[in-house]
Amino acid sequence: QGFSIYKINPQYDYKHKIRLCVTDRPRFALERMIRTKLFNGKEYKLCIFLNHIGTIKSVIKKLDISEQSKVFCSNNSFDKLKGIVDYDDKISELKDFNFFTSRFFSAVDIELSEQPYVIIYTDWKINSTMIDPRTESAQICGRFRNGIEHIDHITNTEWRLQWSEESAVRKR
């Protein structure tokens, strides 16, 4: 159909160190990180990138953190959170716990005076939470124009997940 493939390689170092937390209980790991919200003994505002409103709602209710939380999502998604937590569709002041759905993974500049602690959450059992680590994790980290203090990626694995080598995908 006349499509062209362009491979863009940045001429600058855009990589961030990410601590990978592989667990068979990703939700438990997330709740534990939220409870502590510490990194190297210092407390930070958490920016949690999690693309599943049901999980966000459940975590906020279980940990009883409604007053300290804010969810950045589309208007349609927020209908499921009404009466539970503050919602915003534009980024202004952060609370202690800030949840971002996929609408905020790319093309949004987040300018803060502080550097947040970022958590990326994926769970292979919930398809909408899965991200492409080569593109979406870089996009998430790049949202913060003044930098990031630390990044954790919580995930689980499943040996039955299908994957392909890049050369095989290009042949399709």
Side-chain angles (χ1 to χ4, degrees):
Q1 295 182 354
F3 291 107
S4 297
I5 296 175
Y6 294 95
K7 190 168 185 174
I8 299 171
N9 292 314
Q11 300 303 309
Y12 56 90
D13 185 15
Y14 65 92
K15 297 174 186 168
H16 292 276
K17 288 185 178 181
I18 295 178
R19 182 173 63 177
L20 185 60
C21 176
V22 181
T23 176
D24 60 347
R25 298 174 62 199
R27 170 86 180 274
F28 176 79
L30 175 64
E31 291 169 359
R32 187 169 167 207
M33 286 180 186
I34 288 172
R35 278 190 196 101
T36 61
K37 73 176 181 161
L38 295 173
F39 180 68
N40 287 341
K42 186 177 173 196
E43 193 170 293
Y44 293 92
K45 291 191 184 298
L46 294 183
C47 292
I48 303 157
F49 288 80
L50 193 173
N51 194 34
H52 190 260
I53 291 294
T55 302
I56 293 170
K57 179 180 177 180
S58 180
V59 166
I60 289 171
K61 286 177 91 174
K62 180 175 182 186
L63 298 178
D64 193 24
I65 56 173
S66 294
E67 294 298 316
Q68 306 101 316
S69 297
K70 198 171 203 180
V71 177
F72 298 91
C73 61
S74 68
N75 291 335
N76 294 342
S77 294
F78 185 68
D79 288 341
K80 299 173 185 169
L81 296 169
K82 281 185 182 170
I84 295 171
V85 68
D86 283 347
Y87 135 86
D88 213 332
D89 64 351
K90 32 188 184 327
I91 299 170
S92 54
E93 192 174 308
L94 296 181
K95 289 197 172 187
D96 289 342
F97 310 105
N98 304 279
F99 294 85
F100 298 83
T101 63
S102 64
R103 180 168 181 249
F104 292 87
F105 285 16
S106 62
V108 173
D109 292 342
I110 303 173
E111 295 190 32
L112 305 170
S113 59
E114 62 199 290
Q115 294 183 331
Y117 177 170
V118 172
I119 298 174
I120 302 169
Y121 179 92
T122 58
D123 180 345
W124 71 266
K125 296 175 186 172
I126 305 171
N127 282 343
S128 65
T129 67
M130 293 181 36
I131 66 165
D132 175 1
R134 289 183 178 235
T135 57
E136 289 173 306
S137 62
Q139 285 289 319
I140 288 167
C141 298
R143 300 304 91 224
F144 297 92
R145 298 304 186 209
N146 293 327
I148 295 170
E149 180 61 34
H150 179 74
I151 306 160
D152 282 331
H153 187 151
I154 301 170
T155 189
N156 53 3
T157 60
E158 170 56 45
W159 63 271
R160 293 174 292 203
L161 287 176
Q162 297 295 312
W163 63 277
S164 300
E165 294 283 347
E166 181 179 351
S167 57
V169 172
R170 291 191 178 280
K171 290 179 183 176
R172 289 185 192 162

